[in-house]
Amino acid sequence: MMKKMRVFLVCMMALVMLLTACSKGTTDSEDAKKSTEKNPKSTAKAEPTPAETQVDPAAQQGEVALDYDVSVYDEVIAEVKNVLALPAEEAAPEHMDAIREIGLVYEEEAETMLCYQYKDVNQDQVPELLIGLSAAGEDNYLQNSICCVYTVVEGAPNCVLYGHPRSSYSLLSDGHFANFGSDGEYIFFGEFYLSAENQILCKDYYFTYESQGNAETISVYQNATGNPDAASSNVLDMTQDEFYELEEELALRTLPLTDATTFIEFE
């Protein structure tokens, strides 16, 4: 019995000591918190969270600076709205052929389907105006089509890139543009970009055309000029199936215009 009593007393003493230590730790923690509140200039620095250390994706992809006056493009946006409303018998400027086609096909819905976005695609601190189809969430590059790209030259908007019903452009994540199309003789695709001098340049361009010396077979050609000229292009040892696979790889890199404004919202 005495042995059990000694064990009981030892256990009780251990429990008391444990409770005392916990209470002291809590008090010390509260005191430290109060000390920090009284001394906001403490040199202790909190470790940044992963969210704080991430680079803003918008900055990486050339989103427009908030202090840039994008109203320089208002006249272009107003012109697009006018083109969408043109009667069928009236023509539009050549660089707005794709916009005109959207207006004819979708009629009243065109101002909802067409959108615009400001984006500095060549990283020169001047945002470009991108006009295209509103298709967020779509993976099909045909739904990511860009009709026109404008930049500012000598204080005025200038169209530097435009598609038409047989040749469409789409935005890539690095600010480049993918091009897909066909003109009956050629099937082509390529990658283009806007230079620091506001010139559209070709990075890579592929097309199919009849083989040199044998009009009955088709060859795959490549160049960096962006023109389907077989005589000045490289003939590739590539099948048509491989050509289409390469085209699909480029298509999967295209992006819709995100955070864009539909034309029906522009007043």
Side-chain angles (χ1 to χ4, degrees):
M1 182 72 180
M2 292 297 295
K3 182 177 180 181
K4 290 183 179 180
M5 181 63 70
R6 282 198 299 271
V7 171
F8 175 77
L9 290 174
V10 169
C11 291
M12 288 299 295
M13 289 177 64
L15 179 61
V16 170
M17 292 174 65
L18 179 62
L19 291 174
T20 302
C22 291
S23 175
K24 185 178 186 300
T26 302
T27 304
D28 290 346
S29 176
E30 291 176 351
D31 290 344
K33 181 177 178 182
K34 291 178 182 179
S35 175
T36 302
E37 291 174 347
K38 291 179 181 179
N39 184 19
K41 294 184 180 180
S42 172
T43 57
K45 296 182 180 179
E47 290 295 324
T49 64
E52 292 172 349
T53 57
Q54 289 178 350
V55 177
D56 183 2
Q60 288 182 317
Q61 296 182 12
E63 298 295 347
V64 57
L66 295 178
D67 59 349
Y68 193 92
D69 184 11
V70 293
S71 65
V72 66
Y73 291 117
D74 283 359
E75 62 184 80
V76 175
I77 299 172
E79 183 183 10
V80 170
K81 288 176 71 78
N82 290 335
V83 167
L84 289 174
L86 285 176
E89 63 273 12
E90 290 191 32
E94 181 182 356
H95 66 278
M96 290 195 177
D97 276 351
I99 293 171
R100 178 74 175 120
E101 188 74 12
I102 292 170
L104 291 173
V105 172
Y106 297 103
E107 299 180 341
E108 289 146 2
E109 296 179 3
E111 286 195 3
T112 302
M113 297 192 65
L114 204 64
C115 65
Y116 61 93
Q117 178 183 354
Y118 305 108
K119 190 179 190 70
D120 183 8
V121 298
N122 62 346
Q123 304 296 303
D124 66 350
Q125 307 305 310
V126 176
E128 279 66 47
L129 171 66
L130 280 57
I131 300 172
L133 289 175
S134 173
E138 295 287 348
D139 291 329
N140 189 328
Y141 70 86
L142 293 176
Q143 297 298 315
N144 295 344
S145 295
I146 290 177
C147 302
C148 298
V149 177
Y150 285 79
T151 193
V152 176
V153 177
E154 296 181 355
N158 182 56
C159 183
V160 292
L161 183 74
Y162 63 91
H164 56 76
R166 298 186 70 89
S167 177
S168 66
Y169 289 89
S170 298
L171 182 67
L172 300 173
S173 60
D174 57 3
H176 289 192
F177 300 96
N179 176 222
F180 305 91
S182 169
D183 68 355
E185 288 187 285
Y186 309 93
I187 297 174
F188 57 85
F189 65 90
E191 184 172 341
F192 295 79
Y193 62 97
L194 183 66
S195 71
E197 294 74 31
N198 292 322
Q199 300 294 317
I200 292 293
L201 302 178
C202 179
K203 179 182 178 182
D204 221 357
Y205 188 79
Y206 298 83
F207 64 96
T208 58
Y209 189 60
E210 62 185 40
S211 302
Q212 295 178 1
N214 187 354
E216 296 182 359
T217 61
I218 299 296
S219 292
V220 177
Y221 298 84
Q222 179 274 337
N223 62 49
T225 65
N227 296 313
D229 180 14
S232 60
S233 301
N234 303 312
V235 183
L236 303 181
D237 183 16
M238 179 184 290
T239 66
Q240 290 189 64
D241 286 342
E242 291 171 332
F243 170 85
Y244 290 122
E245 288 175 6
L246 196 60
E247 179 188 37
E248 183 64 18
E249 287 179 12
L250 181 61
L252 291 174
R253 292 171 51 205
T254 64
L255 302 172
L257 297 182
T258 55
D259 299 324
T261 304
T262 59
F263 276 82
I264 201 169
E265 299 176 68
F266 180 79
E267 298 294 338

